[in-house]
Amino acid sequence: MAQLGTAPDTLRPAPILRFPGCGAARLHLSPPELAGTELEKLRAALDSGWLAPAGPTPAAFEAAIAATTGHAAVLATTSGTAALHLGYRVLGVAPGDEVWAPSMTFIATIAPAVQMGAVPRFLDVGPSWTLDPALLADELSRAARRGRLPRVVVPVDLYGQCCDIEAIAAVCDSWGVPVLCDSAAALGALGRGGLHAGRGARLAVFSFNGNKIITTGGGGALASDDPALIARARLLAGQAREPAAHYQHETTGYAYGMSSVLAAVGLAQLPTLARRVTRRREVFATYLAGLGDLPGLSFIPEPNWGRANRWLSVMMLEPTLFGTDREAVRRALEAAGMESRPAWKPLHLQPAFRDASFAGGRMAAQLFEQGLCLPSGGAMTPAEQARVIEVVRSCARR
Ligand SMILES: *Cc1c(COP(=O)(O)O)cnc(C)c1O
């Protein structure tokens, strides 16, 4: 039983994940972490009499997210994917419209648009591992000449690292194309001028999935500086029910509002965000110090325009210099009871999108071939991380 009313100063691993069954501990990639005040917030939510995706608890969570990111308006949703879907809907995506996204991302970035009948086009990433604004500018002018601009451009804050939203928004603005930023993994990350991830886009999406830096078990948020867009998304998230005594609908919507129970968990976790970012950055710095000298091994860069939340620590292994490839290292870690995972397989290489068009070179493909995400949880102990480093070092050419 978690203590009620105490503000803990360390993050607690969710016990079940750390000790699956009663067997040996397995070190996970990014396990959920508890703030310790979840039960207190849950009790308050239950005492309020509201369980539905309405009432004081989701409203308080939305206000807390807005205070964190600086957005004017926020809608809490059942998932980040649901928030993306609502974003596409309020931006008017229709069958046949093109939607452009970086290829180096999770499928959820684009899946709702494809399900709405949009045509995806994937762009390569630049040296920052995020959408390359120069490539985007070229492609947009080409598309304008063809008379077929995308309906939406969806950059991604990869692994909690802000894309160059200022440059991306500037080029999109010049063509009148709205930007929906997939900041699902970037809560607590900062971009240029200290602005929070997702600011500068028309709409931004966050996720509170079980493996993200803040979790409600499952959940997401759609945020904007335009309250009218969020009001429209809120209507659609509640089955497009118009304000009337009877059930009145001018269109169809979704059941996408976050329940009060989950919002309570988020309310408990959000005040610990700064500490979580600090911890994940320490984890990254420890990997850099422990592995950075190995030939052929490099880490996800932190571009000069931002401060990543280091949701995941990702390294690249160049096999001829390192001595073996990322798959051999992944297997060695697995054998030692440690979970690691290849970087995203680019969407233009996914069988689901075999007909989609792609612009760019081999950056995304190379990140997949050589990229490995290491255990990155903030509750990982120094001894556990030392073991990860030891196993990776043991794979290197000697
Ligand atoms: C986690 C994630 C999502 C999806 O969020 P859910 O809450 O799991 O639906 C979308 N995009 C990226 C980049 C993510 O990391």
Side-chain angles (χ1 to χ4, degrees), residues 79-81 84 105-106 108-109 156 182 184-185 207-209 212 219 311 344:
S79 69
T81 310
L84 281 155
T105 186
F106 184 41
T109 302
V156 177
D182 182 348
S207 167
F208 310 109
N209 187 2
K212 297 300 196 309
W311 170 51
W344 303 123

Side-chain angles (χ1 to χ4, degrees), residues 96 98 100 139-150 175:
E98 282 194 15
W100 291 9
E139 289 298 314
L140 281 175
S141 26
R142 229 186 286 264
R145 281 198 296 276
R146 286 199 308 269
R148 196 156 191 263
L149 284 164
W175 295 108

Side-chain angles (χ1 to χ4, degrees), residues 1 5 23 43 52 59 73 92 103 137 143 156 188 196 208 234 288 298 314-315 338 344 354 360 362 383:
M1 168 96 178
R43 176 152 308 155
S103 188
V156 177
H196 191 279
F208 310 109
R234 191 179 298 282
L288 192 60
S298 59
V314 194
M315 64 177 185
M338 301 172 214
W344 303 123
R354 66 173 69 79
R362 286 206 83 259

Side-chain angles (χ1 to χ4, degrees), residues 110-388:
I110 200 80
V114 172
Q115 288 151 3
M116 293 166 80
V119 178
R121 178 164 169 76
F122 299 114
L123 275 64
D124 206 357
V125 292
S128 69
W129 297 26
T130 60
L131 181 61
D132 181 354
L135 175 66
L136 177 65
D138 275 2
E139 289 298 314
L140 281 175
S141 26
R142 229 186 286 264
R145 281 198 296 276
R146 286 199 308 269
R148 196 156 191 263
L149 284 164
R151 171 69 63 178
V152 188
V153 168
V154 197
V156 177
D157 294 333
L158 194 77
Y159 299 122
Q161 174 117 288
C162 286
C163 63
D164 190 354
I165 193 73
E166 201 172 53
I168 291 166
V171 57
C172 287
D173 279 354
S174 71
W175 295 108
V177 176
V179 176
L180 167 60
C181 193
D182 182 348
S183 303
L187 200 74
L190 303 178
R192 256 188 241 286
L195 284 184
H196 191 279
R199 297 291 306 288
R202 183 79 61 86
L203 286 162
V205 164
F206 301 99
S207 167
F208 310 109
N209 187 2
N211 69 357
K212 297 300 196 309
I213 195 160
I214 291 282
T215 179
T216 56
L222 184 67
S224 179
D225 282 330
D226 180 352
L229 281 179
I230 297 302
R232 178 75 187 151
R234 191 179 298 282
L235 183 90
L236 291 167
Q239 301 286 15
R241 187 178 172 193
E242 299 287 337
H246 62 281
Y247 286 96
Q248 176 75 18
H249 308 272
E250 284 165 26
T251 182
T252 61
Y254 317 91
Y256 277 174
M258 177 183 277
S259 93
S260 297
V261 178
L262 299 186
V265 176
L267 263 181
Q269 298 222 336
L270 210 45
T272 64
L273 177 62
R275 193 193 312 150
R276 289 169 189 244
V277 173
T278 301
R279 264 302 291 145
R280 295 223 178 201
R281 289 183 64 87
E282 282 168 10
V283 165
F284 183 89
T286 303
Y287 281 132
L288 192 60
L291 296 169
D293 61 308
L294 294 176
L297 191 155
S298 59
F299 284 93
I300 182 169
E302 185 168 52
N304 62 9
W305 61 72
R307 183 173 183 271
N309 69 6
R310 298 298 192 197
W311 170 51
L312 293 184
S313 289
V314 194
M315 64 177 185
M316 285 255 281
L317 295 175
E318 202 290 297
T320 53
L321 288 170
F322 185 73
T324 182
D325 63 7
R326 69 124 165 89
E327 192 50 24
V329 175
R330 192 190 65 77
R331 281 198 300 265
L333 286 167
E334 193 56 50
M338 301 172 214
E339 183 183 34
S340 63
R341 195 170 296 162
W344 303 123
K345 179 171 177 177
L347 297 184
H348 76 282
L349 301 177
Q350 296 286 359
F353 300 123
R354 66 173 69 79
D355 299 327
S357 68
F358 170 74
R362 286 206 83 259
M363 184 71 188
Q366 193 185 5
L367 293 182
F368 170 58
E369 287 157 15
Q370 302 187 356
L372 191 67
C373 305
L374 296 170
S376 304
M380 182 165 51
T381 66
E384 287 168 333
Q385 195 175 3
R387 274 288 289 148
V388 179

Side-chain angles (χ1 to χ4, degrees), residues 26-45:
R26 182 168 188 261
L27 187 61
H28 286 264
L29 197 67
S30 180
E33 285 147 15
L34 300 179
T37 50
E38 282 85 354
L39 283 178
E40 184 188 331
K41 296 290 185 193
L42 272 168
R43 176 152 308 155

Side-chain angles (χ1 to χ4, degrees), residues 23-111:
R26 182 168 188 261
L27 187 61
H28 286 264
L29 197 67
S30 180
E33 285 147 15
L34 300 179
T37 50
E38 282 85 354
L39 283 178
E40 184 188 331
K41 296 290 185 193
L42 272 168
R43 176 152 308 155
L46 299 180
D47 285 347
S48 79
W50 293 85
L51 297 187
T57 314
F61 187 41
E62 286 165 353
I65 298 166
T68 300
T69 65
H71 282 103
V74 173
L75 169 71
T77 58
T78 50
S79 69
T81 310
L84 281 155
H85 192 182
L86 290 168
Y88 287 125
R89 183 80 190 264
V90 299
L91 293 176
V93 168
D97 284 347
E98 282 194 15
V99 172
W100 291 9
S103 188
M104 191 67 194
T105 186
F106 184 41
I107 194 166
T109 302
I110 200 80

